[in-house]
Amino acid sequence: MYRDSINFAKRELAVRAISITMGFVFFIAGWRRFYNMPAKHDIESAAHLANKLVAAAPGSPIEGIIHWIMYQPSLLSLSTYLFSTAELVVGLCLMIGLFTRLAAIGSMGLQIVLMVIFGWMGYECLDEWTMAATGFAISVAIFLIGSGSYSLDSLMDKDILARWATPKVSGVLVVLATVITIGFYSFYFGIFHFEKRTSTHNYSIVAEVVEGQSDVRTLYVKAGGSSTASYVKGITFTLPDGSIVEQSPEEIEVVRQHFLPWSKSGKVVDGVLKLRLGSKTDIRIPAGATSAVIDLIDNKDQELTFTE
C-alpha cells in the first residue's frame, strides 16, 4: 500500500514535470516576442517573424499558402499575433494545470504547425523537426494522462475532456503521433535513404514568369542554406542570335523585391547582389533573352531558361 502511494506520487510529479516543461517552452516563446523582442510583431520591421517564414517556405509542403499569407500584410500580422498569443495561453495553462487536456490539444496543433512550416530547417542536426515531433508526442501523453493531482484542475475538481481520454481515443492518438512523426520525417529527409528535401549546401535559383511583363523575370531562391545567402557576381544573358549580354551586379536592374522588409535581399552589397533563401527578386532582362547563367560566389553556376 505504501509502495503504491509512493508510485502514485511519483507519477503525479512526473505529469507535472512534463506539463511544466512543455508549457514553459511555449510560454517563453510567446513572452519573448511580446516583451523582450516586440520587433518580432512589428510588421514593418525586418525582424518580424516573417523573416523566418521567407526562408522556411521553399522546404515546406504548404509553400504556396505561406507565400500567399506573406502577400497579405494585415493577415500576416494578425496570424503572428494569434500564434504568439496561443503559445502564451497554451503554455500558461500547461504549467499551472488549468484546462490541461484542452491545452494539450492546442499544443498538438501548434507542434503540427511548427513541423509543417519549419520542420526541414534544422539542417545541421534536424533540430526543428526533432523539437516539434517530441513536443507533439509529449502533448499526446499529457492529453491521455491529464493534469494530475498537483494542478488547478485538481484543486477545482474539474478535468475538461477527461471523458474523451478513452482507450479507443488513446489508441487513435498514439497511432496518429506515430504516423505524423514518421510521415514528416520521411517527407523532409527520407527513411531508407537519407536525403534532405531541400538542399542546404548548394543554392538553387529558378526564373519565374511575371504576368504581363515579358522583359521581367522573378529570381526565386528555391534551395540553399537558411543562415547565409547566395551572392551573385554577375549574369550572362543569351539572345536569340546567340550573342550574349553580360551584366555586373550594379548593372542588374531590380524591378521589385518581394517580401520586404523581411527578405533582406535584392541589394548590392560589397559588389555582389545578395539573394537570400526563399527570396523573390524581379529583374529586367535584355529584350528577347532566351536564357541566362548566374555566376554565384562559392556555388555552381545557375542556368536559367526564359519561357512565357
Side-chain angles (χ1 to χ4, degrees):
M1 195 71 173
Y2 175 74
R3 180 176 296 177
D4 289 342
S5 298
I6 293 295
N7 289 336
F8 178 78
K10 288 180 178 178
R11 173 184 175 277
E12 297 301 285
L13 287 173
V15 171
R16 273 296 79 225
I18 63 173
S19 295
I20 290 173
T21 302
M22 189 74 264
F24 180 78
V25 169
F26 274 130
F27 182 83
I28 204 63
W31 177 265
R32 184 170 63 247
R33 295 189 208 105
F34 278 111
Y35 185 77
N36 301 114
M37 303 175 69
K40 291 287 186 181
H41 287 151
D42 183 356
I43 197 67
E44 296 182 356
S45 170
H48 187 269
L49 193 61
N51 75 73
K52 192 169 183 180
L53 289 177
V54 172
S60 171
I62 58 170
E63 176 182 354
I65 296 176
I66 295 174
H67 285 160
W68 181 81
I69 292 177
M70 286 196 292
Y71 284 125
Q72 323 293 325
S74 297
L75 178 59
L76 177 61
S77 180
L78 177 62
S79 298
T80 52
Y81 269 109
L82 289 178
F83 188 84
S84 296
T85 301
E87 287 185 312
L88 277 176
V89 174
V90 167
L92 181 61
C93 286
L94 287 176
M95 285 193 294
I96 64 179
L98 178 65
F99 308 132
T100 306
R101 295 185 199 269
L102 186 60
I105 293 177
S107 178
M108 290 181 219
L110 291 172
Q111 302 290 1
I112 291 176
V113 170
L114 292 173
M115 208 181 301
V116 170
I117 298 176
F118 303 110
W120 74 270
M121 292 188 72
Y123 60 92
E124 292 180 337
C125 60
L126 314 185
D127 53 337
E128 298 284 356
W129 174 85
T130 301
M131 288 187 292
T134 302
F136 185 83
I138 291 173
S139 302
V140 169
I142 293 173
F143 177 83
L144 297 180
I145 297 172
S147 55
S149 300
Y150 310 115
S151 64
L152 288 183
D153 284 342
S154 178
L155 184 64
M156 297 185 300
D157 195 25
K158 287 188 177 181
D159 190 354
I160 294 179
L161 302 181
R163 60 193 177 90
W164 289 99
T166 63
K168 182 178 291 186
V169 171
S170 301
V172 170
L173 284 176
V174 170
V175 171
L176 182 64
T178 303
V179 170
I180 287 178
T181 301
I182 296 176
F184 275 115
Y185 185 91
S186 177
F187 177 83
Y188 290 125
F189 310 109
I191 293 291
F192 299 104
H193 298 286
F194 182 81
E195 184 177 353
K196 298 169 188 172
R197 183 176 180 84
T198 300
S199 171
T200 56
H201 299 292
N202 294 313
Y203 285 94
S204 175
I205 301 176
V206 298
E208 297 180 340
V209 174
V210 178
E211 187 175 353
Q213 300 185 64
S214 59
D215 62 339
V216 176
R217 291 294 184 276
T218 300
L219 299 184
Y220 178 33
V221 185
K222 288 278 291 183
S226 60
S227 60
T228 57
S230 58
Y231 296 98
V232 178
K233 294 192 293 182
I235 302 179
T236 301
F237 297 93
T238 300
L239 303 182
D241 61 3
S243 60
I244 62 173
V245 175
E246 296 182 354
Q247 291 184 353
S248 66
E250 291 81 2
E251 295 171 323
I252 299 171
E253 183 182 349
V254 175
V255 179
R256 179 189 179 190
Q257 301 171 47
H258 298 239
F259 312 137
L260 287 179
W262 324 299
S263 67
K264 304 176 184 178
S265 299
K267 294 184 178 180
V268 176
V269 180
D270 296 328
V272 293
L273 180 65
K274 180 180 178 181
L275 299 177
R276 180 188 169 208
L277 173 65
S279 66
K280 289 193 173 191
T281 305
D282 292 357
I283 65 167
R284 196 172 306 282
I285 65 175
T290 57
S291 62
V293 175
I294 302 178
D295 185 8
L296 296 179
I297 293 179
D298 297 328
N299 198 88
K300 63 181 180 180
D301 292 345
Q302 301 292 295
E303 298 182 2
L304 307 178
T305 300
F306 302 137
T307 57
E308 291 294 337

